[in-house]
Amino acid sequence: MIASISHVKKVMGELRAKKKYGQNFLIDANIVDKIARIACDEELVTIEIGPGLGALSEMLLKYSKAVKAYEIDKDMYAILLDSIKDERFEVYCEDFLDSDLNVYEEKVNVCGNLPYYVTTPILFKLFESGLDINRITIMVQKEVGDRISAEKGSEDYGALSIEVQYLFKVKQELNVPRNVFYPAPNVDSAVISLTPIRARDHEFEEGFFGFVKNCFRMRRKTLHNNLKDLYDSEKIEEAYEKCGLKKDIRAQQLSLEEFLKLYEVFE
Ligand code: SAM
C-alpha cells in the first residue's frame, strides 16, 4: 500500500519533499480509496495530474480502464516506475502545463491532488483544452475550493469561478484534514468534483472566457475601466444601458447570466 507513512518514508530515503513542486503526499488509504471511487469509471481512462509517489495512482488503477499520469519531478518519476508495475499505467515525466491533451480522442476522467502553486493554471488548461471530459475530481486547498464555488459579490469570486460554473456542476465531495498528508500542509483541503453541464462550443468559450478574464484584469477598478481597453466609451455605455448596469459596477458584482448577456451585446 503506497498511501502509508511507512511506505513514504521508505521510498523517499534521503529525498526531501519539494516545496517548489507543492509536494504533500497522501498517507491515508481510506481517503485515497474514497477519492478514487468518486473519480473513476471502469470503462474510462483516468488522467492523473501529479502522481507523486503513486498513492492515488495505485487506487485509480483499481477502478479505471487505465491511468495516464503526468509528473514534473524526475525523482518521483523514477520512484513511480519502480513502484507501479502495471501495463495499464503510463507515466510521463512532464510539466502538465506543457502536455499535449489533443492525443486523447476518447472521453476521460481527470483526477489529481493538485500542487497548490499551479492549481489555477492547471484548471484553466483543462477547461480550455479540447479534452472530452466525463468528470474532474480534484483535491485542492480549501481556499481554491472557495474560489471555485464563490458566488457574485464575494471576495473569492473571479474568472475561475465563472469558467467553472459555466461549464460544470460543482460538488464539494470531502473535506480533508491536513494530517492525512506527509509532510502536513498549513491548511486543510477539499475534494471537489466537476461534471460537465453543457455541450462544448470552443469558439464561443474562447471569446467568452477571454472577455471575462479582461473584465477582472484589475479587480479594484470598475468594470467600465477594465472594458475601456477593449471597446470605445460609446459602445460600453450602449451595452450598459441594454443590460441595465450601473456605471460604477465592478466585475465581481455581475452574475454568470449578466456576463453572458453583456458579452452577447458586445459581440
Ligand atoms: N498524488 C500524490 C499524492 O496524493 O500523494 C502527490 C500529490 S502532491 C500534492 C503534487 C504532485 O504534483 C507532486 O508529486 C509534484 O511533484 C507534482 N507536480 C507539481 N507541479 C506539477 C506540474 N506542473 N505538472 C505535473 N506534476 C506536477
Side-chain angles (χ1 to χ4, degrees):
M1 183 72 64
I2 297 178
S4 68
I5 186 68
S6 54
H7 179 88
V8 170
K9 287 196 165 159
K10 191 173 113 206
V11 293
M12 289 290 281
E14 297 292 297
L15 287 174
R16 291 279 154 265
K18 298 182 181 86
K19 270 199 183 147
K20 67 168 179 173
Y21 290 147
Q23 290 178 351
N24 301 98
F25 304 109
L26 277 163
I27 50 169
D28 183 318
N30 247 328
I31 297 270
V32 175
D33 187 70
K34 275 190 192 156
I35 300 171
R37 282 171 190 268
I38 296 163
C40 302
D41 292 83
E42 260 175 27
E43 71 284 7
L44 296 185
V45 166
T46 303
I47 294 179
E48 186 187 6
I49 304 160
L53 300 170
L56 198 49
S57 330
E58 185 180 48
M59 225 57 107
L60 295 175
L61 269 170
K62 193 167 155 192
Y63 301 113
S64 314
K65 182 168 113 180
V67 173
K68 315 272 182 193
Y70 294 84
E71 173 55 59
I72 198 169
D73 182 2
K74 289 193 190 87
D75 292 328
M76 296 296 115
Y77 175 72
I79 294 173
L80 278 167
L81 289 182
D82 222 36
S83 318
I84 304 186
K85 307 250 188 245
D86 184 322
E87 57 188 26
R88 295 175 304 124
F89 182 65
E90 255 179 86
V91 56
Y92 309 103
C93 191
E94 202 177 331
D95 182 338
F96 182 74
L97 293 176
D98 296 333
S99 63
D100 177 11
L101 300 179
N102 292 321
V103 295
Y104 296 98
E105 284 172 4
E106 66 208 293
K107 200 184 263 297
V108 292
N109 283 317
V110 180
C111 185
N113 170 12
L114 296 188
Y116 178 67
Y117 76 111
V118 278
T119 300
T120 306
I122 285 177
L123 291 177
F124 279 134
K125 171 163 178 140
L126 283 172
F127 302 157
E128 293 165 17
S129 72
L131 207 56
D132 186 0
I133 295 168
N134 182 58
R135 183 170 53 256
I136 300 176
T137 308
I138 41 166
M139 168 104 76
V140 292
Q141 292 201 351
K142 212 187 147 291
E143 171 196 333
V144 182
D146 291 344
R147 272 173 39 222
I148 286 176
S149 350
E151 289 178 13
K152 75 166 186 174
S154 115
E155 265 285 300
D156 297 318
Y157 187 67
L160 181 68
S161 337
I162 291 169
E163 281 200 28
V164 175
Q165 292 167 28
Y166 173 76
L167 294 171
F168 302 99
K169 178 172 146 246
V170 179
K171 187 168 172 207
Q172 196 96 10
E173 299 278 0
L174 303 168
N175 286 321
V176 183
R178 60 195 83 176
N179 63 359
V180 302
F181 300 95
Y182 178 84
N186 297 325
V187 290
D188 294 328
S189 300
V191 174
I192 289 173
S193 70
L194 308 175
T195 312
I197 48 174
R198 59 177 91 229
R200 304 298 300 263
D201 176 345
H202 291 288
E203 202 179 316
F204 172 81
E205 286 165 20
E206 203 180 316
F208 178 55
F209 294 161
F211 172 75
V212 170
K213 281 183 184 148
N214 270 311
C215 292
F216 279 99
R217 208 164 38 85
M218 311 272 238
R219 278 185 80 88
R220 310 230 164 268
K221 287 194 172 180
T222 61
L223 174 63
H224 192 286
N225 254 319
N226 281 329
L227 287 172
K228 260 187 353 204
D229 294 341
L230 300 176
Y231 310 100
D232 60 52
S233 289
E234 211 174 294
K235 198 163 180 195
I236 300 176
E237 269 144 43
E238 202 182 299
Y240 269 44
E241 205 174 306
K242 278 193 183 148
C243 296
L245 299 177
K246 287 199 186 127
K247 186 157 185 210
D248 60 351
I249 198 162
R250 286 169 202 277
Q252 50 271 42
Q253 294 171 285
L254 262 70
S255 67
L256 169 60
E257 287 67 32
E258 285 169 318
F259 272 111
L260 282 166
K261 181 155 185 217
L262 191 61
Y263 177 65
E264 200 180 286
V265 170
F266 277 122
E267 293 309 307

